Amino acid sequence: MLGYTAHLRRDLARWRERGWISAEQEERMAADAATHSGFSAGSVLAILGAVLLCLAIVTFVAANWEALPRIVRLGILFGTLWLSYALAYGLFRTGRDQFGHAMLLIGGAVFGASIMLIAQTYHISGNPADAVLLWAAGVFLAAVLMLSTASLIFAILLLAVWLVIGETEGPSIPMWQFAIAWGLCAAAVWRQNSLLALHALMLVLLVALFREFMRETLAPGTVCLFGFAVYVLAGGRRGLTGDARAEHLFPTLATYGALVCLGDVMLLQVGEPLVSVPAASVAMLAWAGLAAALLAVAGAYRSRSFPPIVVAGFAVFAVLLRLVLPPLLAPLNDMTTFDILAGVLILVGSLWLIADGGRRGIRSISAAGYAFFMAELFYIYFKTFGGLLETALFYLLAGLLLIAMSAVFVVSERRKAQRIPA
Amino acid sequence: MTTRPQRFVALSLIAIALIQSAALAKIVYDRVALLRAGKEVVLKLVPRDPRDPFKGYYSSLNYDISQLDRRLIAGGRPDFSVGDTAYVVLRTGPEGHAVPASLYPSMPVEMAGDVVARGKISWVSPDRINLTYGIEEYYLPQMEAARLDNIPVDSIRIVAAAGADGQLAIKRLLVDGEPAYEEPPF
């Protein structure tokens, strides 16, 4: 949010120079933006302090406290838990909300430490993932009841711990169980309308997707299509749900959709030996067809220029492509075809992202586009072209193409700018 | 937050503390009930690391009922796979500790004098089945751990309580048949 305030100050200064606003108006607007930017050094420090206290509590697990009788240990645990929430109440009551939320976070940590310490006290060596899930549930409860962003992020990050512990020690967490927990957290993120929590939510999702990817339990291209669907959904018509939260959260959601979509193709391309390439190649083509059709559906939907029957037609076309394409394309299967296919998909996709991000004014989408574009060019440089001459030719053509495209953009932007009265 | 009524904040916080306490209390209650009412069974340890059974603050215990011969599988059930629940019928042997008698996929009918222990299959090999019972970790005060460090594994026994559902809980630790470390349930 700090970036926004700085950016606004620059814009306001320019508008004042053009004579659109007075110096006094500029000051008032800047001051208003600063107070509403949601950034407060006090609350950030309180939360960070709470995180340190949480670490202190959790490391207490390792401390030498076995000498105390069991009843005393239990008394300490329950007492600390209730004390945390009593202190939180005192802070909320006196209007020190940011400290109240910090205290809530500490209460969540005490709850987790208690689970572990009770297991230790009674020599319970059950499934550690279950303990983490119980911990996450307790913290989630606090987050939902108190509308606490910090606690919600804590609960979401515990989901990642849950997944990782399931993987490293004990039976791994089934995807459907994770999906339920993640869905509940997603609903809370939507309700609390927190961008930071959305980032945590998407990062945990990336961890889960990566786990599935490494296990090769998903057909090649499935994750890509999922990301694409998120991108299309989040980029949907403005006011789609008639909710201000959509406008706040969806740009970030769209960026993650783009990252997942192209990231999956890139992983398939770079990690070739991991997946069976012929199957991947066919699937990729079919998914690309489906993606193109979906894009058409989304375009139609957004512009409202097509009647529902045409939109439905596109959807049927998409499904047909998915069914019909693979057998037709089977003869094309080999390493090189796959590589070229994935490369084209990533280059076209990243250019689309740069343009779409610019058009919608969402910088993170453009940034993702640039990143994928550069990454793919590097990949091509090291991988596909053997001779320097061919590589040079490729870059020449790609460069000329891009310059031509940029010229088109510049002209259209200039026309747009001319329509704004000076 | 400032817009929410005080009473709601107080009620929410009490609800959070109550529900979290209830979850913790449930864990403690189940354990205490098991320790008080469960049937006692004496288990023999086998060394995992032959030198020190009680490393530092806690030791991971390896029981001789942790590794079972496949021939103990009862009935015609061909196989168990990792993650399955298994029930082991334990009978007190001539040396005073429990010896595995048979392995079932579901709760068997108990004979007098037998104790049934419930475990999870952790891995399988062509001739052996490995189980965990949830009693593989034992936490000790540092001083106790240092004292027990030099005692040969052979002379250590764990007394566990077995619930009606086969759940095991560590009750006390015996060295040469004498209680060496015991804690009351509370």
Side-chain angles (χ1 to χ4, degrees):
Chain A
M1 279 293 134
L2 217 59
Y4 164 70
T5 318
H7 193 99
L8 184 70
R9 277 209 161 265
R10 268 213 318 267
D11 285 345
L12 285 172
R14 195 179 60 249
W15 296 336
R16 175 175 43 80
E17 277 162 21
R18 292 197 178 185
W20 294 349
I21 56 172
S22 70
E24 187 212 358
Q25 279 169 330
E26 181 197 346
E27 268 318 302
R28 270 175 23 206
M29 287 174 185
D32 180 73
T35 53
H36 286 90
S37 69
F39 180 85
S40 140
S43 68
V44 169
L45 288 180
I47 295 290
L48 288 181
V51 168
L52 288 184
L53 289 185
C54 291
L55 286 175
I57 293 162
V58 173
T59 39
F60 190 59
V61 175
N64 179 19
W65 83 324
E66 289 90 342
L68 301 170
R70 278 176 171 170
I71 187 77
V72 177
R73 287 186 236 171
L74 292 178
I76 292 175
L77 295 181
F78 282 92
T80 317
L81 191 73
W82 281 83
L83 180 70
S84 310
Y85 293 120
L87 284 175
Y89 175 66
L91 291 166
F92 281 121
R93 209 180 57 134
T94 49
R96 274 164 271 189
D97 281 13
Q98 63 266 54
F99 292 103
H101 286 294
M103 205 62 227
L104 210 59
L105 202 62
I106 292 173
V110 170
F111 177 61
S114 301
I115 296 172
M116 289 184 257
L117 287 169
I118 286 174
Q120 184 178 322
T121 295
Y122 287 98
H123 312 294
I124 305 172
S125 66
N127 180 7
D130 290 346
V132 176
L133 184 61
L134 178 65
W135 185 7
V139 175
F140 181 73
L141 176 81
V144 170
L145 281 182
M146 297 303 296
L147 286 176
S148 172
T149 304
S151 291
L152 183 57
I153 292 171
F154 190 11
I156 291 170
L157 294 180
L158 281 174
L159 286 190
V161 176
W162 180 49
L163 268 189
V164 171
I165 284 193
E167 232 33 42
T168 54
E169 36 194 300
S172 75
I173 314 300
M175 203 55 189
W176 66 268
Q177 283 182 10
F178 173 78
I180 292 175
W182 190 86
L184 285 173
C185 287
V189 169
W190 174 252
R191 175 167 167 257
Q192 288 172 230
N193 196 15
S194 159
L195 210 51
L196 212 53
L198 181 67
H199 281 294
L201 193 69
M202 297 315 287
L203 284 176
V204 173
L205 185 66
L206 289 184
V207 170
L209 284 178
F210 189 70
R211 187 189 78 158
E212 295 308 302
F213 183 86
M214 291 312 284
R215 284 185 180 172
E216 298 178 27
T217 51
L218 302 166
T222 317
V223 174
C224 162
L225 197 78
F226 170 74
F228 188 78
V230 170
Y231 184 78
V232 169
L233 169 88
R237 214 160 24 167
R238 217 158 233 243
L240 185 66
T241 53
D243 198 315
R245 286 177 284 199
E247 292 197 20
H248 185 216
L249 298 178
F250 278 12
T252 306
L253 200 60
T255 308
Y256 276 102
L259 285 176
V260 168
C261 180
L262 291 189
D264 181 47
V265 182
M266 192 114 218
L267 271 177
L268 281 174
Q269 191 183 34
V270 176
E272 241 171 50
L274 284 177
V275 292
S276 96
V277 167
S281 162
V282 163
M284 189 65 70
L285 269 176
W287 288 120
L290 183 48
L294 265 179
L295 195 65
V297 173
Y301 185 60
R302 204 182 292 168
S303 62
R304 284 197 257 184
S305 54
F306 294 102
I309 185 81
V310 178
V311 178
F314 270 126
V316 173
F317 168 67
V319 174
L320 280 181
L321 266 185
R322 176 76 187 104
L323 292 178
V324 173
L325 261 186
L328 289 180
L329 297 169
L332 284 176
N333 280 332
D334 68 331
M335 223 64 152
T336 318
T337 319
F338 175 75
D339 230 14
I340 292 172
L341 224 71
V344 169
L345 262 183
I346 292 175
L347 288 178
V348 171
S350 57
L351 288 176
W352 161 258
L353 285 182
I354 295 170
D356 201 36
R359 192 169 56 83
R360 289 201 229 158
I362 305 171
R363 279 196 206 171
S364 49
I365 290 182
S366 301
Y370 287 120
F372 278 114
F373 190 77
M374 295 306 292
E376 185 57 29
L377 285 192
F378 272 113
Y379 175 76
I380 290 169
Y381 182 79
F382 284 113
K383 186 70 198 286
T384 314
F385 296 98
L388 278 176
L389 205 61
E390 289 94 326
T391 312
L393 188 65
F394 169 78
Y395 282 134
L396 178 71
L397 287 176
L400 287 177
L401 187 71
L402 284 186
I403 290 170
M405 281 173 66
S406 87
V408 173
F409 275 114
V410 167
V411 168
S412 79
E413 269 165 22
R414 198 169 289 162
R415 279 206 195 119
K416 232 187 259 175
Q418 275 168 0
R419 274 185 240 133
I420 302 170
Chain B
M1 281 307 307
T2 40
T3 55
R4 312 178 81 196
Q6 290 290 325
R7 198 145 42 100
F8 187 74
V9 171
L11 283 179
S12 298
L13 285 169
I14 290 174
I16 294 164
L18 265 183
I19 294 172
Q20 289 186 354
S21 301
L24 296 175
K26 169 94 170 73
I27 303 174
V28 174
Y29 176 81
D30 285 352
R31 236 342 99 135
V32 170
L34 182 54
L35 288 175
R36 284 201 172 139
K39 277 199 248 181
E40 279 195 7
V41 55
V42 182
L43 302 173
K44 185 175 188 283
L45 294 180
V46 291
R48 176 172 284 157
D49 177 346
R51 279 184 312 109
D52 48 359
F54 290 95
K55 234 186 286 169
Y57 297 92
Y58 91 92
S59 152
S60 57
L61 305 177
N62 198 21
Y63 298 91
D64 78 338
I65 61 163
S66 299
Q67 263 196 33
L68 298 180
D69 197 303
R70 266 181 183 278
R71 281 170 296 183
L72 290 175
I73 299 175
R77 187 181 159 108
D79 220 340
F80 283 97
S81 50
V82 174
D84 285 354
T85 302
Y87 294 84
V88 184
V89 174
L90 302 174
R91 214 158 276 165
T92 305
E95 290 171 53
H97 63 259
V99 177
S102 48
L103 185 67
Y104 292 88
S106 60
M107 190 74 185
V109 182
E110 260 178 87
M111 299 289 174
D114 283 355
V115 170
V116 179
R118 188 181 66 191
K120 267 219 152 67
I121 311 284
S122 54
W123 56 267
V124 288
S125 68
D127 57 336
R128 299 219 157 263
I129 289 185
N130 257 55
L131 292 110
T132 56
Y133 298 91
I135 52 169
E136 282 75 17
E137 282 170 12
Y138 197 85
Y139 295 85
L140 276 172
Q142 205 170 14
M143 300 278 279
E144 294 285 336
R147 192 167 66 81
L148 290 168
D149 228 6
N150 303 318
I151 296 170
V153 183
D154 250 358
S155 60
I156 301 174
R157 300 279 184 276
I158 295 286
V159 180
D165 59 350
Q167 168 107 58
L168 293 184
I170 294 179
K171 213 163 175 178
R172 63 179 154 308
L173 189 139
L174 303 177
V175 176
D176 291 325
E178 294 299 314
Y181 192 74
E182 183 176 11
E183 280 177 288
F186 262 133

